[in-house]
Amino acid sequence: MSLFPAARVVRKGVPKEFSCNQAQMDIGGIMPSIVYFGSARTRSHADSKIAKIRRLAEAVGMEKIVKKGDLTAIKLHFGERGNDSHLRPVYARQIVDMVKAAGGKPFLTDTNTLYLGSRMNSVDHLLTAYEHGFAFSVVGAPVIIADGLRGHNAIQVEVNLKRLKQVYIAQDIYRADSMVVLSHFKGHAVAGFGGTIKNLAMGCATNTGKREQHSPRLTVNEEKCVGCGMCENSCPAGAAQVADGKSTIDKGKCIGCFECVAVCPEKAIEPDWWSDIPEFMERLTEYAFGAVKNKTGKVVYFNFLLNITPDCDCASWSDSPIVPDIGILASTDPVALDKASYDLVTGETGLPHSILDQTAPGQDKFGAVWKNAQCLTQITYGEEIGLGSSKYELVEV
């Protein structure tokens, strides 16, 4: 009997006949994508998270995807300074070692941020990564910030989709021969949740691409605003200012980083949730599509359902997790992986004393935290544009 009723654990073990690059057909059409799962529970060294990461990599066929001599990008988020719920370096080390064993040449990578913080340029970004333990002596691979010193080293990738005709992808991610994407699955103030799709979209885009995805029209609810000035202090563009005890947003200066939305204690600053956010979610998903367009059959994805906090790791803090640790998932389908992760979180009971508190199994946990977010758009639209499938089978390893 499955511990996770919201997701479909259909079988246990690795099906030897399954090939991650093979189109599998049944009577109803294309079979669901395979998502491999390793539980957070363990009572032995052989079942440790480290061991499960290695089993997941083997199950998903990483050694067939990474070829000898590949320059292999390991895409992850090093965490903003002050954040302590980002992925642990020891997890990345397992992937580094397995890429090397397959003959690849791994490097850890991310892109710079729009907002003011410890990752706005490559120098500060590297220092933050090292402070968080991602030094060569720990992870066994160099760290390369993929979009250059100030976030402008881009390759224009044609996507020709509904919202965007081309996207701006960081050069060193685009030019990598293969990629392993490690994502901490958690909440997000605007997207609802951040997993693989958001990691690809925002995390592989240059500054131009990040601005292009956001493009918001933020407004201030003056009844809620207390004039604390946190928005003004956090705004990298000088668009937020406090005058006569109330905040204002200069829409001409706003670059759409949503930092003011994240830091406002009164939740007084919001986008137009019903017109801006659906478009934002579609642009985000189109960027994810563009990030891997030149890597068909050359990407492996992992979602870590550990320390599932309400906020992105871009926050300079880490709130209490909203549900218990669940485990680690891997797939070659980013849409199926995020959908399975979402379902597993939904199937849990909310943790007491968290921002979510004790919500029942089956209730949308991210929707309960971020009530206006339309988080499943990245799943439905991702399937629509061919990024992946929302149908999956969960195989426990």
Side-chain angles (χ1 to χ4, degrees):
M1 180 176 177
S2 170
L3 296 172
F4 311 109
R8 298 175 299 134
V9 181
V10 296
R11 53 188 170 177
K12 190 166 183 174
V14 180
K16 290 184 172 57
E17 75 281 1
F18 180 76
S19 167
C20 56
N21 295 317
Q22 177 183 356
Q24 303 272 317
M25 303 294 291
D26 65 8
I27 295 174
I30 297 176
M31 285 182 62
S33 295
I34 302 297
V35 177
Y36 296 100
F37 168 73
S39 170
R41 288 297 312 277
T42 181
R43 301 299 299 160
S44 71
H45 173 73
D47 244 6
S48 70
K49 294 184 185 71
I50 301 304
K52 285 173 181 172
I53 289 171
R54 290 178 168 272
R55 289 211 297 270
L56 286 165
E58 291 171 358
V60 81
M62 198 173 80
E63 78 285 351
K64 297 178 182 177
I65 290 170
V66 176
K67 302 298 184 184
K68 184 176 181 180
D70 273 8
L71 298 178
T72 303
I74 299 178
K75 171 65 184 76
L76 72 166
H77 192 307
F78 300 114
E80 189 68 17
R81 185 175 287 126
N83 182 284
D84 58 24
S85 53
H86 54 82
L87 292 186
R88 296 178 180 177
V90 68
Y91 299 157
R93 177 61 189 252
Q94 310 315 307
I95 300 300
V96 166
D97 288 347
M98 296 193 76
V99 168
K100 288 180 178 178
K105 300 176 181 180
F107 64 97
L108 273 56
T109 193
D110 197 4
T111 58
N112 293 311
T113 63
L114 279 179
Y115 58 82
L116 294 173
S118 67
R119 298 177 303 120
M120 195 176 185
N121 62 72
S122 290
V123 174
D124 291 334
H125 203 156
L126 286 168
L127 289 172
T128 301
Y130 300 152
E131 289 171 7
H132 288 178
F134 294 94
F136 187 89
S137 59
V138 178
V139 295
V143 176
I144 299 174
I145 306 305
D147 56 347
L149 187 63
R150 298 185 184 275
H152 300 300
N153 291 0
I155 295 288
Q156 295 182 31
V157 178
E158 288 189 8
V159 291
N160 294 315
L161 295 168
K162 179 167 66 173
R163 300 294 177 187
L164 300 166
K165 298 306 178 186
Q166 61 184 21
V167 297
Y168 296 85
I169 302 302
Q171 281 196 26
D172 293 338
I173 287 175
Y174 178 86
R175 296 191 188 284
D177 301 303
S178 52
M179 183 158 65
V180 182
V181 182
L182 310 181
S183 304
H184 175 211
F185 197 80
K186 70 286 179 191
H188 187 271
V190 184
F193 69 79
T196 289
I197 294 173
K198 185 178 177 299
N199 191 3
L200 288 174
M202 288 294 171
C204 295
T206 61
N207 278 4
T208 299
K210 290 178 173 70
R211 288 190 182 95
E212 191 171 60
Q213 288 177 70
H214 284 108
S215 302
R217 292 183 289 273
L218 298 174
T219 58
V220 178
N221 184 327
E222 292 192 356
E223 291 183 3
K224 290 184 177 180
C225 179
V226 296
C228 67
M230 290 187 69
C231 58
E232 183 174 1
N233 293 335
S234 68
C235 181
Q241 294 185 345
V242 177
D244 299 324
K246 298 294 179 180
S247 174
T248 60
I249 305 292
D250 185 331
K251 294 177 173 59
K253 292 182 178 179
C254 179
I255 62 172
C257 67
F258 290 106
E259 185 70 2
C260 59
V261 176
V263 302
C264 179
E266 305 300 322
K267 305 302 177 189
I269 304 174
E270 292 189 327
D272 184 338
W273 289 102
W274 308 114
S275 62
D276 282 4
I277 297 307
E279 292 185 15
F280 160 73
M281 295 298 293
E282 290 181 351
R283 288 193 297 269
L284 178 146
T285 308
E286 290 179 4
Y287 256 84
F289 179 91
V292 294
K293 185 184 175 188
N294 73 326
K295 291 182 173 56
T296 301
K298 295 293 290 181
V299 190
V300 178
Y301 307 95
F302 289 77
N303 273 358
F304 290 75
L305 278 63
L306 310 169
N307 291 319
I308 305 169
T309 55
D311 307 296
C312 180
D313 293 339
C314 292
S316 57
W317 66 85
S318 294
D319 199 354
S320 298
I322 57 175
V323 296
D325 285 353
I326 297 172
I328 307 166
L329 287 76
S331 184
T332 55
D333 184 332
V335 176
L337 182 61
D338 273 1
K339 182 59 165 61
S341 301
Y342 171 86
D343 287 345
L344 286 168
V345 173
T346 298
E348 289 290 334
T349 299
L351 287 173
H353 313 301
S354 72
I355 193 174
L356 184 61
D357 215 351
Q358 290 178 282
T359 51
Q363 181 177 352
D364 178 3
K365 302 302 183 295
F366 300 113
V369 175
W370 304 111
K371 300 187 185 303
N372 293 314
Q374 301 176 38
C375 56
L376 286 179
T377 299
Q378 54 193 303
I379 302 295
T380 57
Y381 189 58
E383 186 169 50
E384 180 183 329
I385 65 176
L387 181 60
S389 171
S390 66
K391 297 181 177 66
Y392 65 88
E393 292 184 355
L394 203 61
V395 178
E396 189 169 4
V397 301

